[in-house]
């Protein structure tokens, strides 16, 4: 959390002290890269969620990829928002709010995943083994 | 730049639809819960994206914070339900047919 | 309105609705219904109805799914069939289709979406948009309409929350639950004796303070941004619900006891109605906030409107918070108030 | 203070209803007197409003602007000669019921009594608000308050009351939802929610489909709420299983207020021109209400349970009012409006009497009424007055409303409605004379009376605060009948436009 805020303050400082267009393009490029990376991870998540054979492996895809992709996209958007127009306190505040969302997702999503996993284990969801489904399909 | 964000939103929505397939089919309830959890998180992101598109991020970000805070309560509640009632499938002929097909 | 979003979202929403009706396992239906409300929130956002979207987010994501789960928790998870089931379904679907047809018939008669010349935009709403800032100094017109122009409606909507919570509490309160409830007011709760896993406890411990802080921000900042008493109250209630899920209902009772909850439920509406009554006593009409400037001469009539709206929002938040928590505890502990979900 | 009476009508029960959950933690015994006091305060406000109104021109009305925002922008309260009458009926019925209900509530509800009083007063608030408001959306909000509290009140009853409440909940929510949809459609076409402004704007939009759909939905929603015949299925169980006090309050008022709203929308929002000339559905609805009357009466005849019998009589009475309004003749509309008040008191009288019987005898089966006349003479005489009024025997008010209804139907040529009214009166006569027979002679007609058990019965009347309201109600029934002409000329004559 602190790391997030420090990083956004760092970018703010860069924007504040340098007014060259290069910084503008660099930051925009960075944010687009982050968003595209996030989308890529989300693609992985969704493929994982539908293609993995059992609940636990799907959980693996959903829990990690989902959180990471959300964080990346949101961070990219935060940078983009910081970069629009003239720098002002309101803009930085919006950025900090987006960072707060990142933190909440960072805490909340894995907790939810953990709870669901726990419940799935408790209710004895069958896990996939090498010979359970694959062989049936071959026959 | 707005077009880029519309593009991002559409991609997120299409991938959400893909995840929604798991909610639809999901052999067990847990799979559905998993899918809904992913959809919820992505809805938060989509809210912020919409804010950028409408150029009113300062308005939409509040809703997104609320979402991010409340999103996981439902998952925890459902998980606690299953920790108390350790039954995955309710006994119902119809439901069994559904999962077989 | 972004048409690509709309098509995708509306498809998802319709599919969600169908699926949640189609699934026979009620828990599955509840979970899909949760996704439905996520998507509805996005639809509202796409239409630019930010306050509605916020309400949907707070209620749909926060509490309504939990209420459903708590209800299923103490009742049955399956649907019982009888032989009339098919015919009832047949008739109800015919009625639904007829009704949908009726609703659709009139759609051709509607003004276009976002039409500046439509009657809605030219009659009352226009007045609000033009004069709200002058008359109340509140930039968010939704807040000024809800809390001032049509405050009487809002007062009774708060009353609806009060009535709903009171009815659920009264109906579910069992006689042994009543004794335990009276007793538990004087009981010491051991905070170490909890069953839930450490991860969830710690995560909730991290989240709850932020939630409450954010809820207070939403209540107070309703004049400037989407949100207000209702949404803030729901988030506050959700934070209490989260706490009682992560630990135990008893732990939350040690801080906010049920008796206190029922009182604050009434007090919230009474704050709202009481402000109106003070206005009436001071010589204005009921809920005419500008009369309050007689009590505080330093505030002009506009400033007193502005401030009274804030207090009204606080009252709404109090009622909604205690209402949500009262409903949750009643439902999840089945009226015994011992242990919840 | 003098110009605040309109809002005070609603505020008294609202504040006390909200305060009761708090007060009950300190002292439970003050709850009942407080409730009575609040209703007396409300009655005082209604009385003052009425005196103000009667000084004015007959067709004028008094408006009150909540929050001091002028009419289309804020919410407006309007009192004219139509709803002052309904307000009087509501406040009298609720005051008498509250006086009546003390022992019954304590006996039936025990610990829940305090919360019951709170819901009770909020229910009255909702009904008063529905009647007095001049804003279509405000009406919906108050309808929600009234419906939610009524679900709670019914669900506190015994036995299968919860199941009955669930049915009522589903149907009632559908009704409210229909109403809301209708108002939404009107709002889209007109951009206003104020009834007066709607009345001004709507004539330009008479050929609009959206307005038609809005009208249909509003009327349909109200039909669900008032239990008009094919949609009545929730009513009998809900009202017969509810706690006595709740049934006494709800059975006279809830359905009548819905009828009031329907007539209000027909006369004062959509004009009579739209309802009777542009739409040509009069005959169908009069036929439907004739069927409702006959079906309700026949159902009532087949019941062996006193309360259930009365609930089916309510279903038939709803048919009277709906049919009367839709005949499209001035007399029919006047009769229906008069019948709202008359029927509220009739139903109250019958339900109170049954409440007394249940309080003493313990159940409400027809067989258990053997020898009841000697046991509880006051109760039974009042019950008979109510019964005579339902049948339509002259000195009571039931006769006069029926007279107007029949005259309206005759003038508009709806002979089937007249036949239905007469059949229903006959069936009601059979019903009540059967009760007299059982009560006097202590046996069903084919059994021999058991004189020994009759002699062992002692005089066992209910406490004074139960029979006194009952006597007052039966007096009111006769007084309303005697002063019909005055009520017609002073109140009803001017609110129905000539056609």
């Amino acid at each position: 959390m602190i790391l997030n805020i420090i990083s956004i303050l760092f970018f703010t400082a860069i924007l504040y002290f340098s007014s060259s267009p290069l910084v503008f393009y660099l930051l925009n490029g960075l944010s687009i890269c982050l968003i595209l990376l996030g989308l890529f991870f989300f693609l992985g998540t969704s493929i994982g969620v539908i293609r993995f054979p059992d609940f636990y492996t799907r959980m693996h895809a959903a829990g990690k990829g989902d959180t990471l992709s959300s964080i990346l996209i949101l961070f990219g958007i935060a940078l983009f928002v910081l970069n629009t127009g003239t720098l002002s306190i309101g803009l930085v505040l919006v950025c900090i709010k987006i960072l707060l969302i990142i933190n909440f997702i960072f805490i909340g999503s894995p907790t939810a995943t953990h709870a669901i996993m726990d419940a799935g284990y408790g209710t004895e969801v069958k896990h996939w083994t090498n010979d359970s489904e694959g062989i049936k399909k071959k026959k | 730049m707005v077009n880029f964000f519309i593009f991002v939103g559409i991609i997120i929505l299409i991938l959400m639809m893909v995840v929604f397939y798991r909610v639809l089919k999901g052999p067990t309830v847990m799979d559905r819960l998993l899918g809904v959890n992913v959809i919820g998180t992505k809805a938060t992101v989509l809210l912020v994206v919409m804010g950028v598109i409408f150029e009113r991020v300062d308005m939409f970000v509040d809703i997104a914070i609320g979402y991010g805070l409340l999103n996981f309560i439902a998952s925890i509640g459902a998980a606690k339900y299953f920790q108390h009632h350790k039954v995955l499938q309710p006994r119902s002929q119809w439901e069994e047919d559904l999962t077989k097909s | 309105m972004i048409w690509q979003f709309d098509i995708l979202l509306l498809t998802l929403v319709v599919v969600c609705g169908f699926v949640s009706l189609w699934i026979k396992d009620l828990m599955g239906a509840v979970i899909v219904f949760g996704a439905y409300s996520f998507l509805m929130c996005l639809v509202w956002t796409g239409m630019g109805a930010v306050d509605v979207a916020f309400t949907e987010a707070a209620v749909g994501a926060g509490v309504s799914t939990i209420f459903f789960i708590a209800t299923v928790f103490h009742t049955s998870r399956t649907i019982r069939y009888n032989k009339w089931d098919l015919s009832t379904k047949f008739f109800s679907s015919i009625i639904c289709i007829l009704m949908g047809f009726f609703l659709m018939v009139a759609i051709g008669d509607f003004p276009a979406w976002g039409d500046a010349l439509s009657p809605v935009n030219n009659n009352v709403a226009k007045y609000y948009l033009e004069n709200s800032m002058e008359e109340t100094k509140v930039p968010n017109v939704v807040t000024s309409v809800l809390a001032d122009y049509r405050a009487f409606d809002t007062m009774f909507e708060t009353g609806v929350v009060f009535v709903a919570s009171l009815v659920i509490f009264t109906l579910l309160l069992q006689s042994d639950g009543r004794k335990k409830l009276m007793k538990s007011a004087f009981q010491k709760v051991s905070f170490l004796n909890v069953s839930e896993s450490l991860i969830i406890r710690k995560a909730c411990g991290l989240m709850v303070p932020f939630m409450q802080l954010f809820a207070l921000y939403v209540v107070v900042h309703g004049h400037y941004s989407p949100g207000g008493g209702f949404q803030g109250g729901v988030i506050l209630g959700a934070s209490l619900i989260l706490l009682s899920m992560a630990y135990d209902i008893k732990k939350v009772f040690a801080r906010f006891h049920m008796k206190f909850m029922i009182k604050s439920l009434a007090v919230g509406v009474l704050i709202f109605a009481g402000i109106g009554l003070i206005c009436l006593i001071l010589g204005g009409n009921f809920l005419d906030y500008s009369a309050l400037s007689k009590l505080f001469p330093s505030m002009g009539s506009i400033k007193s409107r502005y401030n009274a709206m804030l207090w009204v929002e606080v009252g709404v938040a109090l009622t909604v918070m205690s209402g949500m928590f009262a409903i949750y505890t009643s439902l999840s502990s089945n009226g015994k108030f011992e242990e919840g979900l | 203070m003098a110009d605040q009476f309109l809002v005070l009508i609603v505020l008294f029960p609202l504040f006390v209803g909200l305060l009761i959950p708090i007060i009950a933690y300190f002292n439970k015994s003050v709850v009942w007197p407080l409730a009575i006091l609040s209703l007396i305060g409300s009655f005082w406000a209604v009385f003052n409003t009425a005196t103000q109104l009667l000084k004015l021109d007959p067709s004028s009305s008094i408006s009150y602007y909540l929050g001091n925002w002028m009419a289309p922008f804020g919410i407006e309260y309007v009192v004219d000669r139509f709803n002052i009458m309904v307000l009087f009926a509501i406040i009298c019925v609720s005051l008498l019921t509250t006086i009546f209900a003390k022992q019954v509530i304590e006996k039936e509800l025990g610990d829940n009594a305090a919360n019951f009083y709170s819901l009770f007063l909020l229910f009255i608030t909702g009904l008063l608000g529905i009647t007095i408001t001049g804003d279509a959306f405000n009406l919906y909000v108050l309808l929600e308050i009234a419906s939610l509290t009524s679900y709670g009140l019914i669900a506190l009853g015994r036995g299968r009351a919860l199941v009955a409440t669930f049915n009522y909940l589903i149907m009632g929510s559908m009704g409210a939802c229909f109403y809301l949809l209708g108002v939404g459609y009107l709002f889209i076409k007109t951009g206003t929610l104020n009834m007066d402004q709607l009345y001004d704007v709507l004539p330009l939009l008479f050929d609009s489909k959206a307005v038609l759909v809005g009208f249909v939905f509003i009327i349909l929603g109200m039909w669900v709420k008032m239990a008009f015949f094919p949609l009545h299925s929730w009513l009998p169980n809900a009202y017969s299983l509810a706690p006595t006090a709740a049934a006494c309050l709800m059975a006279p008022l809830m359905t009548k207020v819905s009828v009031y709203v329907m007539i209000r929308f027909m006369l004062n929002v959509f004009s009579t021109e739209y309802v009777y000339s542009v739409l040509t559905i009069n005959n169908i609805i009069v036929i439907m209400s004739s069927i409702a009357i006959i079906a309700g009466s026949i159902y009532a005849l087949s019941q062996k349970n006193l309360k259930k019998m009365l609930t089916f009589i309510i279903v038939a009475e709803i048919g009277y009012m709906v049919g009367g309004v839709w005949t499209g003749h001035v007399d029919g509309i006047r009769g229906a409006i008069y019948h709202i008040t008359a029927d509220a008191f009739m139903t109250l009288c019958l339900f109170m009497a049954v409440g007394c019987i249940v309080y003493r005898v313990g159940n409400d089966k027809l067989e258990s009424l053997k020898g009841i006349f000697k046991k509880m003479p006051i109760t039974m005489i009042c019950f008979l007055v109510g019964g005579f009024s339902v049948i339509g025997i002259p000195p009571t008010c039931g006769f006069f409303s029926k007279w107007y209804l029949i005259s309206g139907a005759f003038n508009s040529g709806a002979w089937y409605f007249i036949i239905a009214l007469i059949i229903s009166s006959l069936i009601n006569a059979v019903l009540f004379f059967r009760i007299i027979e059982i009560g006097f002679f202590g046996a069903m007609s084919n059994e021999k009376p058991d004189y020994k058990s009759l002699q062992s019965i002692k005089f066992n009347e209910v406490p004074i605060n139960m029979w006194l309201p009952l006597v007052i109600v039966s007096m009111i029934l006769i007084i309303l009948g005697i002063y019909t002409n005055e009520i017609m000329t002073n109140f009803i004559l001017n609110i129905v436009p000539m056609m």
Side-chain angles (χ1 to χ4, degrees):
Chain A
M1 183 161 192
I2 296 165
L3 208 72
N4 277 331
I5 290 173
I6 287 174
S7 65
I8 210 77
L9 284 179
F10 172 68
F11 285 118
T12 319
I14 289 179
L15 273 175
Y16 185 70
F17 287 118
S18 77
S19 53
S20 70
L22 187 67
V23 177
F24 175 79
Y25 287 121
L26 266 179
L27 276 185
N28 254 3
L30 186 60
S31 73
I32 288 173
C33 282
L34 282 172
I35 290 170
L36 287 179
L37 200 63
L39 283 183
F40 174 73
F41 276 111
F42 190 34
L43 180 70
T45 307
S46 47
I47 290 174
V49 165
I50 57 164
R51 285 297 297 158
F52 271 132
D54 76 335
F55 168 67
Y56 299 100
T57 44
R58 277 174 216 144
M59 186 105 259
H60 166 79
K64 293 202 171 97
D66 183 36
T67 316
L68 182 61
S69 64
S70 307
I71 288 173
L72 285 174
I73 297 173
L74 283 175
F75 201 81
I77 292 173
L79 281 186
F80 177 80
V81 168
L82 197 63
N83 215 358
T84 49
T86 51
L87 198 64
S88 66
I89 298 286
L91 225 53
V92 178
L93 209 64
V94 169
C95 269
I96 290 175
K97 277 182 185 168
I98 294 178
L99 292 181
L100 280 177
I101 301 172
I102 293 179
N103 285 303
F104 296 142
I105 288 178
F106 194 70
I107 299 168
S109 182
T111 315
T113 319
H114 165 79
I116 295 169
M117 220 289 298
D118 222 15
Y121 186 70
T123 49
E124 292 162 2
V125 178
K126 275 176 196 154
H127 57 79
W128 182 79
T129 49
N130 207 4
D131 51 284
S132 59
E133 272 200 23
I135 290 172
K136 270 183 195 169
K137 272 183 186 168
K138 271 175 194 169
K139 278 177 184 175
Chain B
M1 213 45 197
V2 169
N3 283 332
F4 173 71
F5 279 101
I6 289 179
F7 165 76
V8 170
I10 290 169
I11 298 255
I12 291 178
L13 266 172
I14 288 172
L15 291 178
M16 251 160 98
M17 279 182 130
V18 173
V19 175
F20 196 76
Y21 171 76
R22 185 48 68 198
V23 180
L24 257 176
K25 179 144 184 288
T28 63
V29 187
M30 306 313 288
D31 288 296
R32 295 203 168 110
L33 190 53
L34 172 76
V36 170
N37 195 27
V38 173
I39 288 177
T41 319
K42 278 296 167 287
T44 319
V45 177
L46 209 55
L47 273 173
V48 182
V49 172
M50 275 190 183
V52 177
I53 292 169
F54 286 115
E55 295 177 350
R56 290 303 300 269
V57 193
D58 50 336
M59 276 230 164
F60 287 64
V61 88
D62 279 351
I63 311 175
I65 291 183
Y67 231 99
L69 281 167
L70 298 173
N71 182 17
F72 74 123
I73 292 187
S75 304
I76 289 182
K80 291 212 71 169
Y81 175 91
F82 286 107
Q83 280 167 3
H84 281 274
H85 294 246
K86 300 201 178 209
V87 187
L88 196 61
Q89 298 281 344
R91 285 186 201 87
S92 157
Q93 190 61 43
W94 208 87
E95 182 70 20
E96 278 172 20
D97 294 346
L98 189 75
T99 46
K100 272 175 199 165
S101 60
Chain C
M1 289 278 269
I2 305 157
W3 62 270
Q4 298 98 329
F5 279 24
D6 279 348
I7 291 171
L8 289 169
L9 277 174
L10 289 176
T11 327
L12 270 177
V13 165
V14 171
V15 172
C16 246
F18 272 113
V19 170
S20 62
L21 283 178
W22 182 55
I23 297 175
K24 290 297 162 197
D25 176 7
L26 285 182
M27 269 308 280
V30 164
I31 289 163
V32 177
F33 208 61
Y36 174 85
S37 73
F38 291 152
L39 296 168
M40 270 327 273
C41 169
L42 289 174
V43 172
W44 301 131
T45 323
M47 294 171 88
V50 195
D51 282 79
V52 183
F54 202 174
T55 315
E56 180 71 41
V59 175
V63 288
S64 71
T65 316
I66 291 292
F67 288 169
F68 283 133
I69 291 171
T71 313
V72 174
F73 185 61
H74 281 289
T75 51
S76 162
R77 207 174 125 190
T78 48
I79 298 169
R80 197 184 293 156
Y81 293 94
N82 48 23
K83 55 183 174 181
W84 299 109
D85 194 54
L86 207 67
S87 67
T88 8
K89 259 183 197 166
F90 184 67
F91 278 116
S92 51
S93 57
I94 282 181
I95 288 170
C96 280
I97 289 166
L98 269 179
M99 194 181 144
F101 174 74
F102 250 115
L103 288 174
M104 290 296 170
V105 160
I107 278 182
D109 208 24
F110 282 178
W113 202 89
D115 182 7
L117 296 173
S118 70
V120 173
N121 289 337
N122 279 305
N123 197 345
V124 181
K126 195 179 173 192
Y127 173 86
Y128 292 147
L129 288 174
E130 282 169 355
N131 298 330
S132 155
M133 194 64 192
E134 260 173 54
E135 289 174 347
T136 58
K137 281 275 182 294
V138 175
N140 186 357
V141 184
V142 178
T143 305
S144 70
V145 171
L146 284 184
D148 197 354
Y149 291 104
R150 300 187 69 90
F152 199 62
D153 277 349
T154 315
M155 189 178 87
F156 278 109
E157 290 290 359
T158 323
V160 166
V161 176
F162 169 81
V163 169
S165 324
L166 194 68
V167 166
I168 290 174
F169 176 75
T170 316
L171 281 183
L172 285 176
L173 188 58
Q174 296 164 355
S175 52
D176 59 332
R178 188 186 294 276
K179 280 172 205 155
K180 272 169 193 156
L181 191 63
M182 300 300 271
K183 222 187 277 173
S184 70
F186 311 104
Q187 226 171 27
K188 275 198 172 180
V189 184
S190 155
F191 291 101
L192 297 171
N193 184 21
V194 280
S195 56
E196 194 44 60
S197 79
L198 183 71
I199 296 174
I200 294 179
R201 253 186 296 155
K202 283 294 166 194
C204 293
L206 269 172
M207 293 287 261
V208 166
F210 280 110
M211 252 186 204
Q212 291 175 343
L213 201 64
F214 177 66
L216 292 178
Y217 162 77
V218 169
V219 173
V220 179
H221 208 251
H223 288 26
Y224 297 97
S225 65
F230 189 78
Q231 291 91 333
V234 171
I235 297 174
L236 272 177
S239 76
L240 291 179
I241 290 173
L242 183 62
L243 208 60
S244 63
M245 277 199 304
Y247 292 83
D248 205 340
I249 286 185
K250 278 182 186 167
K251 163 155 182 167
V252 188
F253 271 176
R255 295 281 194 301
F256 299 96
H257 194 258
M258 197 67 195
K259 288 156 85 177
F260 176 72
M261 277 292 161
I262 293 297
K263 274 179 212 164
S264 69
L265 196 62
V267 166
V269 195
L270 278 172
I271 289 176
F272 201 145
I275 289 175
L277 193 68
I278 292 170
C279 301
L280 194 147
I281 291 166
L282 289 174
N285 278 2
F286 188 68
L287 286 171
D288 179 9
Y289 302 138
S290 59
L292 288 174
S293 59
K294 286 178 191 164
L295 210 61
F296 306 100
S298 59
M299 298 192 294
S301 64
I302 293 171
K303 192 73 182 165
S304 65
R305 272 202 191 112
Y306 181 92
N307 286 337
M309 266 190 242
L310 188 66
W311 286 106
V312 160
E313 299 274 14
V314 170
V316 174
L318 195 61
T319 299
V320 173
M321 175 192 80
S322 16
M324 293 301 139
F325 187 62
I327 291 175
Y328 168 75
T329 40
S330 305
L331 283 178
S332 72
S333 67
N334 203 7
K336 288 184 183 130
F337 300 101
E338 275 192 317
E339 50 180 340
L341 258 174
Chain D
M1 202 66 181
D3 50 345
Q4 305 285 346
F5 284 122
L6 262 72
V7 76
L8 284 178
I9 294 172
V10 180
L11 287 188
F12 275 113
L14 174 72
F15 268 94
V16 176
L18 292 173
L19 277 170
I20 280 176
I22 301 174
I23 291 170
Y25 275 109
F26 303 111
N27 190 352
K28 279 189 181 169
S29 57
V30 297
V31 170
W32 184 70
L34 259 180
I36 297 276
L37 271 182
S38 75
L39 289 174
I40 288 174
S42 191
F43 182 83
W44 170 70
V46 174
F47 188 78
N48 278 307
T49 318
T51 47
Q52 277 180 24
L53 188 73
L54 287 176
K55 281 174 199 158
L56 299 174
D57 184 46
S59 57
S60 63
S61 59
I62 307 177
S63 293
Y64 181 87
Y65 302 106
L66 286 148
N68 217 3
W69 297 110
M70 282 305 127
F73 311 117
I75 292 164
E76 186 190 15
Y77 267 12
V78 184
V79 165
D80 57 14
R81 301 215 169 183
F82 181 12
N83 60 10
I84 194 73
M85 213 172 59
V86 183
L87 281 175
F88 253 120
I90 291 172
I91 198 71
C92 288
V93 166
S94 47
L95 188 59
L96 290 171
T97 314
T98 319
I99 295 170
F100 163 83
K102 186 171 186 265
Q103 284 91 346
V104 189
I105 289 175
E106 276 164 12
K107 189 183 171 193
E108 286 180 4
L109 292 154
D111 284 346
N112 282 331
N115 289 348
F116 182 85
Y117 276 116
S118 175
L119 295 176
F120 197 78
L121 286 177
L122 287 171
F123 177 71
I124 296 166
T125 314
L127 293 181
L128 289 170
I130 291 173
T131 316
I132 201 173
T133 191
D135 189 281
F137 185 74
N138 192 240
L139 200 155
Y140 169 75
V141 175
L142 289 154
L143 194 70
E144 272 304 87
I145 289 259
S147 320
L148 273 178
T149 42
S150 65
Y151 307 144
L153 289 173
I154 291 173
L156 283 166
R158 67 207 146 75
R160 292 175 63 78
L162 283 173
V163 182
T165 313
F166 189 69
N167 284 334
Y168 179 30
L169 182 95
I170 300 288
M171 292 297 280
S173 313
M174 270 170 63
C177 177
F178 279 148
Y179 176 80
L180 185 63
L181 274 174
V183 172
Y185 271 52
L186 289 188
F187 182 67
I188 288 173
K189 286 308 282 183
T190 60
T192 182
L193 293 168
N194 188 276
M195 287 184 189
D196 282 349
Q197 209 188 4
L198 279 172
Y199 183 74
D200 294 339
V201 176
L202 278 175
L204 304 172
L205 299 164
F206 274 169
D207 50 350
S208 154
K209 273 180 189 165
V211 170
L212 174 68
V213 172
F215 178 74
V216 168
F217 271 116
I218 287 173
I219 297 293
L220 212 59
M222 281 304 129
W223 280 357
V224 175
K225 280 273 171 202
M226 74 176 78
F228 189 52
F229 171 60
L231 308 165
H232 72 287
S233 56
W234 56 270
L235 187 136
N237 279 331
Y239 285 178
S240 58
L241 293 172
T244 310
C248 285
L249 186 65
M250 231 174 285
L253 295 183
M254 193 70 198
T255 49
K256 273 57 180 193
V257 168
S258 310
V259 174
Y260 160 78
V261 174
M262 187 186 79
I263 299 177
R264 187 68 157 181
F265 265 87
M266 284 165 68
L267 298 185
N268 291 18
V269 177
F270 302 88
S271 53
T272 43
E273 189 200 340
Y274 183 70
V275 174
Y276 301 118
S277 311
V278 179
L279 304 177
T280 47
I281 47 175
N282 291 10
N283 284 332
I284 304 167
I285 292 172
V286 175
I287 290 172
M288 274 167 72
S289 43
S290 310
I291 295 170
I293 294 168
I294 293 173
S297 304
I298 290 172
Y299 271 123
L301 196 61
S302 65
Q303 299 303 318
K304 291 190 171 171
N305 180 314
L306 200 52
K307 261 191 193 171
K308 259 203 169 157
M309 188 190 94
L310 294 182
T311 55
F312 278 108
I313 289 179
I314 296 178
V315 173
E317 302 275 327
I318 295 295
Y320 288 15
M321 283 176 267
V322 176
V325 177
W326 282 94
T327 48
H329 190 266
V330 184
D331 274 354
I333 303 171
R334 281 179 191 157
I337 292 170
Y338 179 71
H339 201 65
I340 291 178
T341 316
D343 194 39
F345 286 110
M346 282 189 239
T347 323
L348 177 69
C349 182
L350 293 175
F351 268 81
M352 265 187 181
V354 174
C356 290
I357 293 167
V358 173
Y359 183 71
R360 275 288 179 247
V361 179
N363 63 42
D364 54 353
K365 290 199 179 94
L366 282 179
E367 293 101 51
S368 60
L369 295 181
K370 288 174 188 174
I372 198 88
F373 268 95
K374 285 190 180 157
K375 213 166 150 190
M376 308 165 74
I378 305 171
T379 310
M380 284 318 283
I381 288 168
C382 297
F383 183 78
L384 279 189
V385 174
F388 286 155
S389 183
V390 170
I391 298 166
I393 290 174
T396 55
C397 57
F399 171 75
F400 296 98
S401 56
K402 244 172 222 181
W403 177 258
Y404 276 96
L405 289 173
I406 287 179
S407 133
F410 183 76
N411 285 323
S412 64
W415 47 270
Y416 32 83
F417 189 60
I418 301 175
I419 293 175
L421 278 174
I422 291 169
I423 290 177
S424 152
S425 298
L426 288 176
I427 290 179
N428 285 341
V430 171
L431 283 172
F432 285 103
F433 283 108
R434 189 170 69 178
I435 289 167
I436 294 173
E437 192 186 358
I438 297 169
F440 260 125
F441 305 110
M444 303 294 260
S445 53
N446 53 355
E447 289 173 27
K448 283 187 177 179
D450 187 359
Y451 291 108
K452 274 186 185 174
S453 70
L454 279 182
Q455 280 166 354
S456 66
I457 295 168
K458 283 172 189 165
F459 181 76
N460 195 8
E461 194 50 80
V462 285
I464 181 163
N465 73 323
M466 289 175 78
W467 65 255
L468 193 62
L470 192 53
V471 172
I472 293 173
V473 175
S474 42
M475 301 288 270
I476 288 176
L477 284 179
I478 295 169
I479 291 169
L480 273 182
I482 293 168
Y483 289 100
T484 306
N485 206 19
E486 280 75 5
I487 292 173
M488 277 291 171
T489 47
N490 280 331
F491 292 101
I492 300 172
L493 213 58
N494 295 300
I495 55 182
V496 183
M498 296 303 289
M499 281 172 288

